[in-house]
Amino acid sequence: MSGKNWDRVPIDAQSVDAPLSLAAVFLVVTVGSDKAALSKVASVLGALDDLVKNVGFRDLSGRLSCIAGVGADLWARLSPDRRPRELKAFAPVKGPVHSAPSTPGDLLFHIRAERSDMCFEFERILLDSLGGSVTVVDEVTGFRYFDARDLLGFVDGTANPTGLDLPASALVGDEDADFAGGSYVVVQKYLHDLNAWAEMPTHLQEEIIGRTKIDNIEIDDDDKPRKSHKSLATIEDDAGNEYDILRDNMPFGRPGQKEFGTYFIGYTRYLWVIEKMLLRMYVGEPPGAYDRLLDFSTPHTGTTFFAPTRLMLQKLADGAQE
Ligand code: HEM
């Protein structure tokens, strides 16, 4: 899809468009209910860019970046009067067989770099600065796996928007002018049953995903009664316009613990687009024909945030420190 009036979008969006990295950390925290915790968090958010510089400058080729997303409850505390139009807590989704839970989270830090030691160092100093003002509720260290494949063995991220389509799909525009340049972020931590998946013949795995496994070619399943993941996650309005999102999923795992996962992260201009994707995946289209990817992948978290522009983040932080 193409956006409109992009000349009015501020150019200081957080690094939503950073290229897929080799390493990432997904850190979700809640913020203490007292005023001191809020003020501490605000001051760290206000200095986030400097912290990225402090660690990132030590190796510029490491391309360190960090996006901070703010959950609905914390947003209300930081800025009671104004909030992004669609921002609300993740709505749990209940399907006939599988459900997506909603789990707590006031702040998301999506830390990316070409070196895992840079992500580690940044996270270490960030948490040190936040101190007792936050509680870590989820922490996942992801890695890039061969041809950007997930642990199910499929190339993941192909259909992501590029060029001008990227901001048009991922960044809020004139429809909510006060928050233009920001982005809604939805995360879900999935764990896979890799043994069950390995028992599926490759052609059935391909039917479930909607792409061939080795060479990543799309499979047309328009006339099939059971749609693939790719087709269920394709959203169109009544006029036939397609609505994309920007994904930066990462595999993670601990083979010794038999833990194999995909951390789903989607950036979107319109929160309803991801909500609709989830509805189609879990409830199914037609209802009942849910996404069979879910027979092998279970979500353990589900949280929604808004990643404001750098300027907005600074203003939020300044306001809450007064
Ligand atoms: C496409 C994997 C969860 C949205 C794909 C593809 C793979 C994949 C392999 C095909 C290649 C590509 O275009 O990237 C996974 C895995 C998941 C997961 C392993 C978790 C276990 C989700 C969730 C959403 C989503 C929760 C949205 C709420 C999409 C979209 C596409 C896609 C929008 C592109 C569809 C198109 O072709 O236009 N996913 N996915 N995925 N997925 Fe997922």
Side-chain angles (χ1 to χ4, degrees), residues 150 155-159 188 190 211 229-230 233 247 264 277:
D150 50 44
V155 177
D156 194 349
T158 312
Q188 284 185 298
Y190 282 89
R211 282 184 180 265
H229 172 64
K230 170 212 75 180
R247 291 165 290 133
F264 166 81
M277 287 175 181

Side-chain angles (χ1 to χ4, degrees), residues 16 47 80 88-89 131 162 165 232 244 249 279 283 301:
V16 169
K88 56 177 188 293
T162 53
D165 287 342
L232 288 168
D244 290 334
N249 295 358
L279 215 60
V283 175
T301 68

Side-chain angles (χ1 to χ4, degrees), residues 199-216:
E199 278 170 19
M200 293 284 285
T202 303
H203 75 274
L204 288 181
Q205 294 183 352
E206 293 177 328
E207 234 173 64
I208 291 174
I209 298 291
R211 282 184 180 265
T212 59
K213 195 167 184 179
I214 301 281
D215 47 16
N216 190 32

Side-chain angles (χ1 to χ4, degrees), residues 150 152 154-160 186 188 190 192 209 211 216 218 229-231 233-234 242-245 247 249 262 264 274-275 277-278 281-282 293 297:
D150 50 44
L152 303 176
F154 283 79
V155 177
D156 194 349
T158 312
N160 264 339
V186 175
Q188 284 185 298
Y190 282 89
H192 300 299
I209 298 291
R211 282 184 180 265
N216 190 32
E218 270 190 86
H229 172 64
K230 170 212 75 180
S231 298
T234 300
E242 209 175 299
Y243 289 82
D244 290 334
I245 63 169
R247 291 165 290 133
N249 295 358
T262 296
F264 166 81
I274 291 190
E275 288 178 336
M277 287 175 181
L278 289 169
M281 285 174 65
Y282 282 81
L293 179 59
S297 317

Side-chain angles (χ1 to χ4, degrees), residues 35-110:
K35 263 194 148 173
L38 188 67
S39 168
K40 178 75 187 166
V41 161
S43 78
V44 173
L45 289 178
L48 200 62
D49 263 356
D50 287 339
L51 187 53
V52 172
K53 282 184 194 154
N54 291 349
V55 179
F57 193 71
R58 289 159 63 182
D59 175 9
L60 288 175
S61 66
R63 293 204 296 223
L64 177 71
S65 65
C66 175
I67 295 175
V70 180
D73 285 354
L74 180 63
W75 191 286
R77 289 173 69 194
L78 288 167
S79 170
D81 303 328
R82 293 166 60 226
R83 70 158 59 192
R85 199 186 286 172
E86 287 190 82
L87 183 59
K88 56 177 188 293
F90 182 93
V93 189
K94 200 165 165 30
V97 178
H98 302 291
S99 302
S102 171
T103 55
D106 284 326
L107 284 171
L108 164 76
F109 296 100
H110 181 195

Side-chain angles (χ1 to χ4, degrees), residues 25-306:
V25 169
F26 305 90
L27 179 68
V28 177
V29 304
T30 52
V31 176
S33 54
D34 53 307
K35 263 194 148 173
L38 188 67
S39 168
K40 178 75 187 166
V41 161
S43 78
V44 173
L45 289 178
L48 200 62
D49 263 356
D50 287 339
L51 187 53
V52 172
K53 282 184 194 154
N54 291 349
V55 179
F57 193 71
R58 289 159 63 182
D59 175 9
L60 288 175
S61 66
R63 293 204 296 223
L64 177 71
S65 65
C66 175
I67 295 175
V70 180
D73 285 354
L74 180 63
W75 191 286
R77 289 173 69 194
L78 288 167
S79 170
D81 303 328
R82 293 166 60 226
R83 70 158 59 192
R85 199 186 286 172
E86 287 190 82
L87 183 59
K88 56 177 188 293
F90 182 93
V93 189
K94 200 165 165 30
V97 178
H98 302 291
S99 302
S102 171
T103 55
D106 284 326
L107 284 171
L108 164 76
F109 296 100
H110 181 195
I111 305 165
R112 286 181 279 188
E114 293 308 295
R115 298 172 44 166
S116 50
D117 60 347
M118 278 190 116
C119 292
F120 175 90
E121 182 73 346
F122 179 84
E123 184 192 1
R124 183 184 69 78
I125 301 176
L126 174 69
L127 284 173
D128 200 36
S129 323
L130 289 165
S133 61
V134 301
T135 304
V136 174
V137 289
D138 196 32
E139 179 189 35
V140 170
T141 300
F143 55 88
R144 192 60 60 201
Y145 188 54
F146 297 101
D147 325 314
R149 289 177 191 268
D150 50 44
L151 296 184
L152 303 176
F154 283 79
V155 177
D156 194 349
T158 312
N160 264 339
T162 53
L164 285 178
D165 287 342
L166 192 156
S169 305
L171 303 184
V172 169
D174 277 355
E175 67 278 359
D176 193 5
D178 285 353
F179 297 98
S183 185
Y184 296 94
V185 197
V186 175
V187 296
Q188 284 185 298
K189 179 166 83 173
Y190 282 89
L191 291 179
H192 300 299
D193 183 345
L194 277 198
N195 288 336
W197 182 249
E199 278 170 19
M200 293 284 285
T202 303
H203 75 274
L204 288 181
Q205 294 183 352
E206 293 177 328
E207 234 173 64
I208 291 174
I209 298 291
R211 282 184 180 265
T212 59
K213 195 167 184 179
I214 301 281
D215 47 16
N216 190 32
I217 304 298
E218 270 190 86
I219 298 169
D220 184 359
D221 60 6
D222 283 352
D223 300 329
K224 291 260 173 71
R226 200 73 194 256
K227 289 186 177 38
S228 65
H229 172 64
K230 170 212 75 180
S231 298
L232 288 168
T234 300
I235 304 298
E236 283 184 0
D237 64 15
D238 295 342
N241 299 312
E242 209 175 299
Y243 289 82
D244 290 334
I245 63 169
L246 179 67
R247 291 165 290 133
D248 196 1
N249 295 358
M250 276 273 197
F252 65 91
R254 289 179 298 167
Q257 308 298 315
K258 297 193 174 20
E259 179 191 89
F260 303 101
T262 296
Y263 200 89
F264 166 81
I265 182 164
Y267 288 92
T268 183
R269 173 176 182 173
Y270 306 105
L271 184 59
W272 65 262
V273 172
I274 291 190
E275 288 178 336
K276 195 162 174 189
M277 287 175 181
L278 289 169
L279 215 60
R280 285 167 61 94
M281 285 174 65
Y282 282 81
V283 175
E285 180 55 45
Y290 65 85
D291 192 332
R292 287 160 297 168
L293 179 59
L294 301 173
D295 291 337
F296 307 90
S297 317
T298 308
H300 286 251
T301 68
T303 320
T304 298
F305 304 91
F306 186 75

